[in-house]
Amino acid sequence: FRPSSQFLFGGGRIYAEWGVKLPSLSDATNTFTVYIGFQDASFGSPVDSIHFEYSHGVNSGAWQIKTTSNSTATTTNTATTVDTSWHRYSVEIDAAASSVTFYIDGVSVGTNTTNIPTGTGRETSVGFQILKSAGTTTRYIYVDYFSMYQKLTTSR
């Protein structure tokens, strides 16, 4: 999902949350990568993003958290193994966009402070996708809700 790039970070604190379920997991037969967060790509790896990422063959099937600016990524491995239950995935971006804290079910799984997309040309949109790399069986990502709050640094 990506209607157009519309969020430019650094203009105020942002808290965003997604309710997501993966009904099946990536495996050697049907391999895919899941992205949940803010991204500029509607298909493929994002150039600019703040997102959760998963594929079974990376980080032992646990979530990674990523910030990517102009194709340069900061990747942090979490210890949270992906499963097929509903979960809340949240990001908290500080007002200056100098720090992003990632949460799963309200528990912090890490903070990134580098390669956060800011500045003209680094806009993103709300995004979630499955990018399949092997297999023919259709795979899905269920998104129950999305919520976002921004406290602007400068009132409009």
Side-chain angles (χ1 to χ4, degrees):
F1 173 73
R2 182 183 177 266
S4 65
S5 295
Q6 50 193 327
F7 295 107
L8 183 59
F9 304 116
R13 178 186 166 274
I14 294 176
Y15 182 84
E17 183 172 278
W18 295 258
V20 174
K21 175 181 177 163
L22 299 177
S24 57
L25 300 179
S26 175
D27 59 34
T29 304
N30 288 282
T31 305
F32 55 87
T33 303
V34 173
Y35 302 86
I36 303 169
F38 293 97
Q39 59 190 36
D40 67 345
S42 57
F43 182 80
S45 298
V47 171
D48 297 297
S49 69
I50 294 172
H51 71 275
F52 293 86
E53 186 171 317
Y54 154 75
S55 186
H56 78 282
V58 180
N59 191 29
S60 302
W63 286 105
Q64 293 183 304
I65 54 175
K66 290 193 174 188
T67 48
T68 307
S69 181
N70 202 22
S71 296
T72 302
T74 296
T75 303
T76 303
N77 291 331
T78 77
T80 305
T81 303
V82 179
D83 62 32
T84 57
S85 298
W86 283 101
H87 294 283
R88 291 178 296 125
Y89 300 92
S90 311
V91 296
E92 185 171 9
I93 307 161
D94 73 352
S98 60
S99 175
V100 179
T101 302
F102 295 80
Y103 301 88
I104 298 176
D105 296 327
V107 177
S108 174
V109 294
T111 299
N112 284 1
T113 59
T114 56
N115 298 311
I116 299 166
T118 59
T120 304
R122 306 279 65 96
E123 297 88 353
T124 67
S125 185
V126 175
F128 45 87
Q129 70 170 314
I130 290 180
L131 181 59
K132 198 138 192 237
S133 55
T136 57
T137 304
T138 302
R139 294 298 186 221
Y140 300 94
I141 181 170
Y142 297 156
V143 180
D144 184 53
Y145 70 91
F146 166 73
S147 173
M148 187 184 108
Y149 171 79
Q150 181 173 17
K151 179 164 177 60
L152 296 171
T153 304
T154 305
S155 298
R156 295 196 171 108

